[in-house]
Amino acid sequence: KRLKRLLLWILVVYISIPLIIKLCPSIQAKLVFLNFVRIPYFIDLKHPSDQGLNHTCNFYLEPEVGLKIGVWHTVPAQMWKEAQGKEGNWYDSTFSSNHPVILYLHGNAGTRGGDHRVQLYKVLSSLGYHVVTFDYRGWGDSDGSPSEEGMTSDALFIYDWLKQRLDKMPLFIWGHSLGTGVATNLVRRLCDRGSPPDALILESPFTNIREEAKSHPFSMVYRYLPGFDWFFLDAITANNIRFASDENVNHISCPVLILHAEDDGVVPFHLGKKLYKIASQSKSLSGHKVHFVPFSSSLAYKHKFIYRSPELPNILSKKCKYGEVENVRNHSSL
């Protein structure tokens, strides 16, 4: 009898979840963004030095009146000593230095201070890049509520803010996971207005949010349920969430570099490869290099540890020079 009751409760819960999501599609939006999941929980975003980034400045900008978003600017490691004790004005002045800039767009959950994100900032800084990152509205200590349109607008605002401070140094856009959807949205807008970035780097990208949601491990128990699309995927669309990178690449005109680990358990490898195939056939990308760099499962980089690759500096330095699909297979992690 206890076993029957347990099975009955499991069945009730199994049936109830799709019904609840269909009736309350805002729940599905929260599951896409996961902005309420703040890991690590006790980090003080005002003090990036607590995360080992003592050449990083925290500040706030207003993409809209009354809407504040938190931003970090990490200078190249070569400026580490000079950065000690400096304030925002000094950091602002460093954009005139002879170093390229990466605008980093993070994925869902956590904040700009997430550990794997911090480790990537350190790697990019050591390679001589300025790294500018921020929390979208609704994330971290930024105001507002999340939406695809809001995330894209915030990214566009930060990009324009950077361009006003840069002379002729390259400005690259790097998106990770859900941030790749924001990145392609942003670059499409930039290309539509005739001002593409110097390059677009997509780490662990997907084609569009519906395909990603269907491939996500959390959907496994419902994937073959009749009406899965109606219950779950249509609820995402009802929230105006698309992140259609597979459409965006047909409107992008700048070099594209895609990085994806074969053992990625969050965004399946086949989605990154599918996006690459679509991009490589895009008419708007004709004449621009489109690179795909897979990382072998034996390296165990999974969804968020590509920064550990000792090949990353070489990959970035050659991103506009090679045209073939490059395999990174037999290198130990840092």
Side-chain angles (χ1 to χ4, degrees):
K1 287 183 179 180
R2 289 179 179 176
L3 181 59
K4 287 182 179 180
R5 288 175 183 171
L6 177 61
L7 292 175
L8 180 60
W9 274 109
I10 292 174
L11 181 61
V12 169
V13 171
Y14 183 82
I15 295 173
S16 298
I17 289 176
L19 292 172
I20 291 171
I21 288 177
K22 188 63 182 179
L23 293 172
C24 304
S26 61
I27 294 175
Q28 187 71 315
K30 292 183 183 297
L31 294 176
V32 170
F33 298 130
L34 291 177
N35 60 303
F36 58 90
V37 179
R38 182 167 174 169
I39 300 174
Y41 290 101
F42 302 107
I43 180 175
D44 185 354
L45 294 170
K46 292 185 175 70
H47 298 97
S49 58
D50 293 346
Q51 309 307 309
L53 294 172
N54 48 9
H55 55 319
T56 298
C57 177
N58 175 75
F59 56 99
Y60 298 90
L61 295 173
E62 287 194 1
E64 297 174 10
V65 177
L67 181 73
K68 177 189 69 176
I69 59 174
V71 187
W72 280 0
H73 172 200
T74 301
V75 296
Q78 296 90 325
M79 299 181 181
W80 179 84
K81 286 186 178 180
E82 193 178 355
Q84 303 311 301
K86 296 296 194 301
E87 301 294 335
N89 288 338
W90 179 85
Y91 279 88
D92 211 28
S93 70
T94 62
F95 285 123
S96 62
S97 64
N98 192 30
H99 293 276
V101 180
I102 289 179
L103 172 58
Y104 179 79
L105 306 173
H106 68 66
N108 68 356
T111 68
R112 62 190 183 277
D115 183 65
H116 65 283
R117 295 161 186 162
V118 168
Q119 298 308 317
L120 178 63
Y121 310 155
K122 291 178 179 178
V123 170
L124 296 177
S125 172
S126 71
L127 298 177
Y129 293 95
H130 291 272
V131 182
V132 175
T133 188
F134 66 97
D135 279 317
Y136 316 103
R137 61 188 70 187
W139 269 263
D141 56 355
S142 296
D143 298 333
S145 300
S147 68
E148 179 177 358
E149 176 60 29
M151 295 166 75
T152 305
S153 294
D154 293 343
L156 180 59
F157 175 83
I158 298 294
Y159 180 90
D160 287 340
W161 181 87
L162 283 169
K163 287 296 285 185
Q164 292 171 7
R165 284 153 178 77
L166 297 176
D167 186 13
K168 296 182 179 179
M169 292 310 299
L171 174 53
F172 306 116
I173 296 172
W174 183 311
H176 173 246
S177 193
L178 190 66
T180 63
V182 181
T184 62
N185 282 349
L186 169 61
V187 176
R188 177 174 178 172
R189 289 194 184 184
L190 295 173
C191 292
D192 284 347
R193 74 182 192 186
S195 56
D198 292 281
L200 170 62
I201 302 165
L202 302 174
E203 179 189 358
S204 306
F206 50 87
T207 47
N208 59 71
I209 197 63
R210 289 179 70 98
E211 288 196 352
E212 161 55 14
K214 196 166 188 174
S215 302
H216 197 281
F218 288 164
S219 70
M220 189 177 301
V221 294
Y222 288 106
R223 195 172 299 159
Y224 303 105
L225 176 74
F228 173 83
D229 288 15
W230 186 76
F231 279 114
F232 292 96
L233 304 186
D234 289 354
I236 296 176
T237 306
N239 286 280
N240 295 317
I241 302 173
R242 298 181 67 244
F243 292 112
S245 293
D246 52 352
E247 294 180 15
N248 291 337
V249 293
N250 290 311
H251 301 269
I252 286 174
S253 53
C254 70
V256 177
L257 171 66
I258 298 176
L259 311 172
H260 214 134
E262 293 176 350
D263 58 340
D264 190 328
V266 178
V267 179
F269 178 77
H270 71 85
L271 290 184
K273 196 167 186 179
K274 183 177 179 180
L275 181 63
Y276 164 71
K277 288 181 179 179
I278 296 171
S280 64
Q281 297 170 4
S282 166
K283 291 182 180 179
S284 67
L285 284 168
S286 177
H288 297 282
K289 296 294 186 181
V290 180
H291 311 304
F292 181 75
V293 182
F295 295 84
S296 172
S297 297
S298 63
L299 299 171
Y301 292 157
K302 301 186 182 295
H303 183 59
K304 55 187 182 183
F305 301 117
I306 286 177
Y307 71 83
R308 293 176 176 173
S309 173
E311 290 296 313
L312 192 58
N314 188 47
I315 291 167
L316 294 178
S317 68
K318 291 183 176 180
K319 62 184 171 292
C320 296
K321 296 180 182 178
Y322 56 67
E324 301 297 326
V325 176
E326 181 176 332
N327 288 282
V328 180
R329 296 195 173 273
N330 298 314
H331 302 280
S332 59
S333 61
L334 290 174

